[in-house]
Amino acid sequence: MIKAQSIAVKIGGKPILHGVNFQAKAGEVTVVVGPNGSGKTTLLRAITDEVAWNGHIQINDRDIHDYKSWELAAVRGVLPQTATLAFPFTVIEVVRMGLLSGIHSTTDTLAEQALARVGLAGYALRFFQELSGGEQQRAHLARVLCQVWEPVVDGVPRWLLLDEPVASLDIGHQLLIMDCLQNFAARGGGVIAVMHDLNLTAMIADAVTIISGGQAIASGAVEDVFTDQSLSTAYHCQLRSNTLPPKHSAFILPQTASLA
């Protein structure tokens, strides 16, 4: 489990998170949603220890400050919202950077397997800068997958921590990546993803947390969290959550939204 308690963050002297409590379980896909500027990315960056924060964070029942940097690299892979490269690396060179951070550096074919998993088989020798934005995003995800390829090692779950992993992707590749994340969780790993698409979240999330105004206003199963009241409060407009048979999966129609 990843557990964050009473997380407070200030950036440039401005409070961004106000005592947020959050948890995610191994074996599940946990999605963080909320409006722009609500603190979703900041929460993820606190969990990855990329910003200064106050509170308590544990990964697999161990305080994050008790980990050495190489131990953290072996237990969780992080995909930021944006990543740039200043030099003309090939795609396979970018993906192999994940091997240097993980524990599978001696596996010769792993980078190619990761590329195939994200729909980039045959792209290995192309230059990264020649790819489209969506292709670059998938190449970075392949790099992160290499880092934590096996979801469980010696009985200890590993984690994918992803900020907007499908933001630049068409619907087919969105579904491909969502299947990849669900497969990782089904095999015992844990996934935390920051996302904007509420309907895609409702399709794939085992648990969801809504962040609004720097606070967690609702957490739990999708059907419990995606209520008219919680969504309308978070997004400052009138939203209606609907369900489809037979699984009663929630969906939100933008046509029913209003600012009043």
Side-chain angles (χ1 to χ4, degrees):
M1 177 181 289
I2 287 182
K3 183 181 292 186
Q5 296 176 296
S6 302
I7 302 303
V9 175
K10 289 183 178 180
I11 297 178
K14 178 183 178 181
I16 305 298
L17 297 180
H18 311 276
V20 171
N21 294 322
F22 171 82
Q23 68 177 32
K25 297 178 180 178
E28 294 186 352
V29 176
T30 301
V31 178
V32 181
V33 300
N36 293 333
S38 60
K40 304 184 300 297
T41 292
T42 301
L43 175 60
L44 190 68
R45 294 184 70 200
I47 293 171
T48 59
D49 207 26
E50 295 177 76
V51 295
W53 50 273
N54 291 316
H56 302 279
I57 297 176
Q58 290 182 322
I59 299 178
N60 296 337
D61 297 320
R62 182 178 172 187
D63 191 283
I64 192 172
H65 290 138
D66 291 340
Y67 283 89
K68 296 180 174 63
S69 58
W70 64 267
E71 290 178 310
L72 279 174
V75 81
R76 90 289 188 265
V78 180
L79 181 70
Q81 195 173 95
T82 58
T84 58
L85 292 175
F87 300 98
F89 291 103
T90 63
V91 173
I92 197 68
E93 288 172 333
V94 171
V95 176
R96 284 174 177 159
M97 293 178 187
L99 294 174
L100 299 177
S101 300
I103 61 175
H104 302 291
S105 58
T106 59
T107 306
D108 292 338
T109 63
L110 192 55
E112 287 83 358
Q113 292 179 60
L115 282 172
R117 189 69 184 88
V118 300
L120 290 176
Y123 282 65
L125 300 182
R126 292 181 60 176
F127 283 106
F128 180 83
Q129 287 80 359
E130 296 175 348
L131 304 184
S132 69
E135 290 168 343
Q136 289 183 358
Q137 189 174 26
R138 286 185 282 142
H140 278 303
L141 178 57
R143 170 180 55 79
V144 174
L145 286 174
C146 277
Q147 188 175 336
V148 289
W149 186 253
E150 295 297 335
V152 179
V153 175
D154 296 329
V156 178
R158 305 166 89 192
W159 295 84
L160 288 170
L161 308 178
L162 315 170
D163 195 356
E164 294 290 347
V166 296
S168 301
L169 306 185
D170 60 69
I171 188 169
H173 286 113
Q174 286 181 348
L175 294 175
L176 176 69
I177 299 310
M178 291 300 99
D179 179 72
C180 180
L181 304 187
Q182 287 181 305
N183 178 268
F184 187 86
R187 292 186 292 129
V191 178
I192 300 174
V194 171
M195 293 177 55
H196 272 295
D197 191 318
L198 298 178
N199 291 312
L200 195 57
T201 296
M203 285 174 57
I204 65 102
D206 297 297
V208 61
T209 292
I210 300 179
I211 301 290
S212 184
Q215 297 179 316
I217 67 169
S219 295
V222 173
E223 59 269 23
D224 297 326
V225 172
F226 276 10
T227 65
D228 296 358
Q229 181 178 351
S230 62
L231 290 170
S232 299
T233 297
Y235 289 92
H236 309 293
C237 62
Q238 296 301 311
L239 291 171
R240 181 179 299 169
S241 181
N242 307 274
T243 60
L244 284 172
K247 293 185 177 181
H248 302 290
S249 299
F251 69 94
I252 296 86
L253 290 175
Q255 291 90 338
T256 66
S258 67
L259 294 176

